[in-house]
């Protein structure tokens, strides 16, 4: 071997060794940072206005993580665009574990099929941490609304096609999709009125400006108990524990009708696995904590717990289910 070849081999070996040392150093640094995580406050983004089901679940998670980490976890409501604005903001945030998303079926499994210009694939741009809860949607009515059952509502809608308004949360959310599913399966002509958030539709429902609405239960439970709203049916397979006298849609003449929303915690893609593991471990503790379970149920949900991989699988299953409905109904939002 000539002198030039020997020098080249030495150079290549030196570069390889330097790269190996640098990689090892970066890995050790990443592990060291993860061991200290978190060292400052965490922002938990809710991609909808305050007052809805996503917000309610986020506040349970924020309190429990704050207590566990002894760091402030701040809920940041960034509504707009059917949940797309807040979701995009987290996707673009630094992947360091300090900006998280309280995701749900609408933002992760419905919007990718519904929005023609979403500009992102949530399954590629987020690292799932774990499931938090599931929640049924309810068909709610103002006390003055004459229909007391699903069958009576369908009969009323058929008697005067196109005249019945049903309020929902924004386009793409669970409430909106439930209304579309109900309209399709019942074969009725109704006007679906999407609001900017859950709170606005509840306010108009309470005021009688919209006679009936699909909505999650957290903002409605108190008003149902006070007689200011009436729950006609719930979208889960079984009756909801806090409303045992309210039938399911399946019981009400629409066999197989089911639409339950799933809520979970995510971080931006690229967040170190060590940090995901730390967050996931604390989230699973929350799922097994009796106090947290009680709060979730009082907010209208059923507690869930999962690994990051199980949550990723859940997102895929939900996306297949809802995208089928979106395509079947020909729904598109520009």
């Amino acid at each position: 071997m000539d002198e030039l070849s020997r020098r080249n081999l030495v150079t290549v070996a030196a570069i390889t060794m330097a790269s190996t040392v640098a990689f090892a150093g970066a890995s050790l640094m990443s592990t060291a940072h993860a061991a200290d995580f978190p060292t400052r406050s965490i922002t938990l983004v809710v991609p909808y206005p305050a007052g809805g089901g996503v917000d309610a679940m986020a506040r349970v998670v924020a309190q429990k993580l704050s207590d566990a980490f002894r760091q402030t976890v701040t809920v940041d409501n960034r509504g707009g665009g059917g949940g797309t604005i807040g979701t995009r903001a987290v996707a673009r945030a630094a992947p360091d574990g300090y900006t998280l998303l309280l995701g749900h079926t609408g933002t992760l499994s419905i919007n990718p099929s519904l929005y023609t210009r979403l500009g992102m694939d949530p399954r590629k741009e987020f690292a799932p941490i774990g499931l938090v809860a599931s929640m049924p949607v309810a068909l709610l009515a103002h006390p003055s609304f004459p229909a007391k059952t699903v069958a009576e509502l369908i009969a009323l809608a058929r008697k005067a096609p196109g005249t019945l308004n049903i309020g929902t949360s924004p386009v793409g959310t669970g409430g909106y999709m439930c209304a579309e599913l109900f309209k399709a399966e019942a074969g009725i002509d109704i006007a679906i009125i999407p609001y900017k958030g859950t709170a606005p539709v509840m306010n108009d429902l309470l005021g009688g400006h919209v006679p009936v609405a699909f909505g999650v239960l957290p903002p409605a439970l108190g008003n149902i108990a006070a007689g200011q709203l009436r729950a006609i049916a719930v979208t889960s397979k079984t009756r909801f524990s806090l409303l045992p006298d309210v039938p399911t849609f399946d019981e009400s003449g629409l066999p197989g009708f089911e639409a339950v929303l799933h809520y979970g915690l995510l971080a931006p893609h690229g967040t170190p696995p060590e940090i995901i593991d730390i967050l996931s471990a604390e989230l699973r503790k929350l799922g097994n904590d009796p106090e947290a379970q009680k709060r979730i149920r009082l907010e209208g949900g059923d507690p869930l717990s999962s690994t990051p991989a199980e949550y990723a699988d859940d997102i895929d299953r939900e996306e297949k289910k809802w995208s089928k409905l979106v395509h079947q109904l020909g729904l598109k939002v520009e």
Side-chain angles (χ1 to χ4, degrees):
M1 183 181 295
D2 59 27
E3 183 63 23
L4 180 59
S5 298
R6 280 196 296 272
R7 288 179 182 176
N8 287 340
L9 281 174
V10 170
T11 301
V12 170
I15 292 172
T16 301
M17 183 176 292
S19 299
T20 302
V21 170
F23 177 80
S27 297
L28 288 171
M29 187 176 296
S30 173
T31 303
H33 284 319
D36 295 335
F37 178 86
T39 58
R40 54 186 173 85
S41 62
I42 295 171
T43 298
L44 177 53
V45 174
V46 174
Y48 298 104
V54 186
D55 184 65
M57 294 302 107
R59 294 184 188 278
V60 175
V61 172
Q63 181 185 327
K64 287 299 178 181
L65 291 186
S66 293
D67 294 343
F69 292 137
R70 297 184 180 180
Q71 294 285 351
T72 301
V73 179
T74 304
V75 175
D76 181 6
N77 294 91
R78 300 192 197 180
T84 61
I85 292 175
T87 303
R88 281 198 193 103
V90 178
R92 295 168 182 166
D96 54 13
Y98 289 97
T99 304
L100 305 175
L101 176 72
L102 205 296
H104 94 309
T105 300
T107 52
L108 303 174
S109 303
I110 297 174
N111 284 353
S113 299
L114 187 66
Y115 282 81
T116 57
R117 299 178 183 177
L118 187 61
M120 64 174 180
D121 182 346
R123 290 174 297 175
K124 294 180 180 179
E125 302 198 36
F126 292 100
I129 295 169
L131 283 159
V132 175
S134 65
M135 187 181 294
V137 176
L139 179 60
L140 306 166
H142 187 270
S144 64
F145 187 61
K148 301 293 192 297
T149 66
V150 171
E152 290 177 0
L153 189 153
I154 292 173
L156 189 67
R158 286 176 177 165
K159 187 181 294 185
T163 61
L164 177 62
N165 293 337
I166 292 188
T168 73
S169 43
V171 172
T173 60
Y176 175 85
M177 294 304 294
C178 283
E180 289 283 8
L181 183 61
F182 174 59
K183 180 179 178 179
E185 294 207 0
I188 54 177
D189 180 10
I190 55 175
I192 299 174
I193 312 297
Y195 285 72
K196 291 183 178 180
T198 300
V201 69
M202 287 298 110
N203 288 338
D204 268 15
L205 185 60
L206 284 166
H209 305 299
V210 62
V212 65
F214 275 94
V216 289
L217 289 164
L221 288 172
N223 293 311
I224 292 170
Q228 296 173 315
L229 290 179
R230 177 162 29 88
I232 295 176
V234 293
T235 61
S236 47
K237 276 187 178 178
T238 58
R239 296 192 181 197
F240 181 57
S241 59
L242 297 183
L243 298 171
D245 296 330
V246 178
T248 66
F249 274 83
D250 183 83
E251 294 174 303
S252 303
L254 290 178
F257 190 107
E258 182 193 8
V260 178
L261 307 179
H262 292 184
Y263 299 77
L265 192 64
L266 306 101
H269 175 73
T271 300
E274 298 86 359
I275 290 178
I276 296 296
D277 290 343
I278 291 170
L279 288 164
S280 178
E282 290 302 332
L283 196 64
R284 288 198 297 276
K285 289 179 187 177
L286 181 154
N288 296 318
D289 178 3
E291 180 189 343
Q293 291 178 345
K294 181 180 178 181
R295 280 194 62 191
I296 288 172
R297 288 192 175 98
L298 288 174
E299 293 290 359
D302 290 311
L304 292 177
S305 182
S306 78
T307 64
E310 288 168 341
Y311 186 24
D313 289 342
D314 181 82
I315 292 170
D316 280 340
R317 283 193 301 272
E318 289 293 294
E319 194 277 334
K320 289 174 184 174
K321 170 185 172 180
W322 288 104
S323 65
K324 181 179 179 181
L325 176 64
V326 168
H327 294 139
Q328 178 184 332
L329 299 180
L331 302 176
K332 285 295 175 187
V333 177
E334 295 294 334

